[in-house]
Amino acid sequence: MSSYSIITYGCQMNEHDSENIAGMLEALGYIHEEDPWSADLVIMNTCSVRENADKRFFGVLGQFKKMKKTNSDFILCVCGCMPQQPRIVEEINKRFSWVDIVFGTQNIAQLPELLEMRKKTGKKQRAIIDNNPHIAEDEMKPVRMHQHKALVNITFGCNNFCTYCIVPFTRGREKSRMLAEVVCEIERLVADGVKEVMLLGQNVDSYKDALGNSFADLIKAVNEIAGLERIRFMTSHPKDISDEMIDCFKSCEKLCKNIHLPVQSGSDRILKRMNRHYDRKRYLEIVDKLRAVCPDITISTDIIVGFPGETEEDFEETLDIARKVRYDSAFTFIYSPREGTPAAKFEDQVEDGVCHERFNRLVELMDGISLEKNKVFMGREVEVLVDGPSKTSENTFSGRTDGFKLVNFTSDKKEENISGQLVKVKITETKTFSLEGKEI
Ligand code: SAH
Ligand code: SF4
Ligand code: F3S
């Protein structure tokens, strides 16, 4: 029997694609091997959102060549967002011509066929298309990373073309799955033990199916599914979020009180150059509405520092909006030019030194706010959906609150009796990125 291993980079879309790939391989009889250096088949599911992702990928890819020498049946596949760019495929073909199979984000369903062709003909296989009109999602049988929670695609691709972003080029145009199909999939997942679903899309708020159902309609329908405990979604775009969606935080009891609402910048001038289609006033209005409807809501964000043309004044507007919103947590990135995107050609690129200095100031501010926001949990009881044993310390479990706070806690229970369960935890210590406690 042959074994497979998948190395996944990037976002939840890739994580879920890897789950689908694992499902296909197991249906073909492959068995999972944790260590890629011991597997007969290695899949590298790549990300291209920032430049360091590219560099890391080529570094790791190069190391796999030696596997070809020690195992003559060894097969290496590259998939995900990198091969959606012709320059990357050219580079693979030139510098890493021993790579067996390369397939794109919209050719995943073809993997079994590509593997068979590779074995039958001995020829390298390449399958990358730009805009596959066929959504294969309903035919997929993913092997989930967690028994109790599942990733569920609701849209594919992106039409927004933020000027810094490669994703519209790597994932194609936006397509929405039918509401009824999403509901059907979640019902099956719940029957299989799933308590929490994460609805996935690059911009979930622009979800619209062929019958005209909106994202709010979808949340309301998913909220009706018996046995499901929690609904999350990712990612919201401030330009498309509707009042009806915001009201779901009150009317849908399963919808977790948490939203990831990337702001990217606090400067109207930069937001315009980013092609984001909202300004700081509109963004702050959304935050006010969310908090009016759901006072306990936790809010996280993404921020890019050093976008071309960003001045000290622009950056201070970013610090200012962060202070005003008081985010629970934030992912902060230094702008990384991506070939083929408009911003990469803007002439006023910001110097590295300035970017790093601003980045550090932003992180310091955000961490301080996160810590303050976590402090209020001291002594409180929270409900946690347990993911499993904590990665950092023994005899400790970790999980997430409704508001997506990471909680590490001690318990007298055994792993098999607690993983995937909702438990009550008393918080005894608060940190910047986590809460610590004890099961009650
Ligand atoms: N669809 C999501 C995000 C996808 S990418 C959204 O619109 O919010 C995740 C994050 O990576 C983005 O929110 C952005 O902050 C960051 N990002 C994307 N392209 C980048 C680039 N070229 N340089 C730095 N950060 C980038
Ligand atoms: Fe990229 Fe913008 Fe689409 Fe998000 S909305 S994936 S940042 S283009
Ligand atoms: Fe990366 Fe592609 Fe996701 S570029 S962030 S894996 S959509």
Side-chain angles (χ1 to χ4, degrees), residues 307-327:
F307 184 80
E310 184 188 78
T311 62
E312 177 60 25
E313 289 70 46
D314 293 317
F315 175 66
E316 274 165 22
E317 299 250 47
T318 298
L319 295 175
D320 181 69
I321 206 165
R323 279 189 207 105
K324 286 205 164 82
V325 177
R326 291 178 48 77
Y327 292 103

Side-chain angles (χ1 to χ4, degrees), residues 151-382:
L151 302 168
V152 176
N153 284 323
I154 65 163
T155 67
F156 301 91
C158 182
N159 289 347
N160 297 307
F161 291 95
C162 302
T163 53
Y164 49 82
C165 185
I166 196 79
V167 172
F169 303 93
T170 65
R171 295 271 166 177
R173 293 295 61 72
E174 185 182 277
K175 294 180 266 290
S176 296
R177 290 176 75 194
M178 296 302 291
L179 178 143
E181 276 159 16
V182 174
V183 168
C184 218
E185 178 178 338
I186 298 175
E187 283 170 347
R188 282 199 309 271
L189 289 166
V190 170
D192 192 39
V194 165
K195 296 200 169 125
E196 176 182 304
V197 288
M198 166 81 90
L199 308 175
L200 291 181
Q202 294 298 347
N203 171 358
V204 286
D205 300 289
S206 60
Y207 172 90
K208 196 171 194 79
D209 79 359
L211 294 175
N213 289 303
S214 68
F215 182 50
D217 295 330
L218 178 65
I219 291 183
K220 286 176 198 162
V222 176
N223 192 60
E224 296 298 312
I225 299 175
L228 182 68
E229 304 265 2
R230 286 178 167 186
I231 306 168
R232 299 188 188 281
F233 58 84
M234 180 99 140
T235 304
S236 259
H237 196 309
K239 89 178 163 71
D240 292 312
I241 194 164
S242 68
D243 288 351
E244 204 190 347
M245 193 276 123
I246 294 175
D247 285 337
C248 289
F249 282 107
K250 189 143 81 191
S251 61
C252 298
E253 74 287 356
K254 293 177 185 169
L255 186 60
C256 288
K257 295 180 176 54
N258 165 248
I259 189 166
H260 184 63
L261 192 66
V263 65
Q264 312 299 358
S265 168
S267 152
D268 287 345
R269 205 176 64 81
I270 296 295
L271 286 170
K272 205 170 201 134
R273 290 188 103 200
M274 287 177 162
N275 195 31
R276 291 288 290 179
H277 294 281
Y278 55 84
D279 56 14
R280 51 184 286 131
K281 183 166 161 281
R282 166 80 184 126
Y283 186 92
L284 289 168
E285 269 168 24
I286 297 168
V287 170
D288 285 347
K289 262 189 205 151
L290 284 163
R291 288 191 170 138
V293 167
C294 182
D296 294 337
I297 197 164
T298 54
I299 306 179
S300 59
T301 200
D302 291 346
I303 297 180
I304 298 178
V305 169
F307 184 80
E310 184 188 78
T311 62
E312 177 60 25
E313 289 70 46
D314 293 317
F315 175 66
E316 274 165 22
E317 299 250 47
T318 298
L319 295 175
D320 181 69
I321 206 165
R323 279 189 207 105
K324 286 205 164 82
V325 177
R326 291 178 48 77
Y327 292 103
D328 289 270
S329 66
F331 295 95
T332 44
F333 308 105
I334 290 180
Y335 168 71
S336 168
R338 306 314 291 136
E339 203 176 302
T341 62
K345 291 190 220 80
F346 290 176
E347 277 169 10
D348 39 7
Q349 303 285 325
V350 180
E351 253 175 70
D352 275 2
V354 175
C355 288
H356 280 98
E357 187 263 339
R358 285 181 191 163
F359 180 80
N360 292 340
R361 276 156 69 197
L362 181 64
V363 170
E364 195 181 325
L365 172 69
M366 296 318 244
D367 286 357
I369 297 173
S370 296
L371 182 62
E372 278 173 28
K373 295 218 83 166
N374 281 350
K375 272 188 185 153
V376 302
F377 284 89
M378 189 65 193
R380 272 204 211 166
E381 273 177 33
V382 293

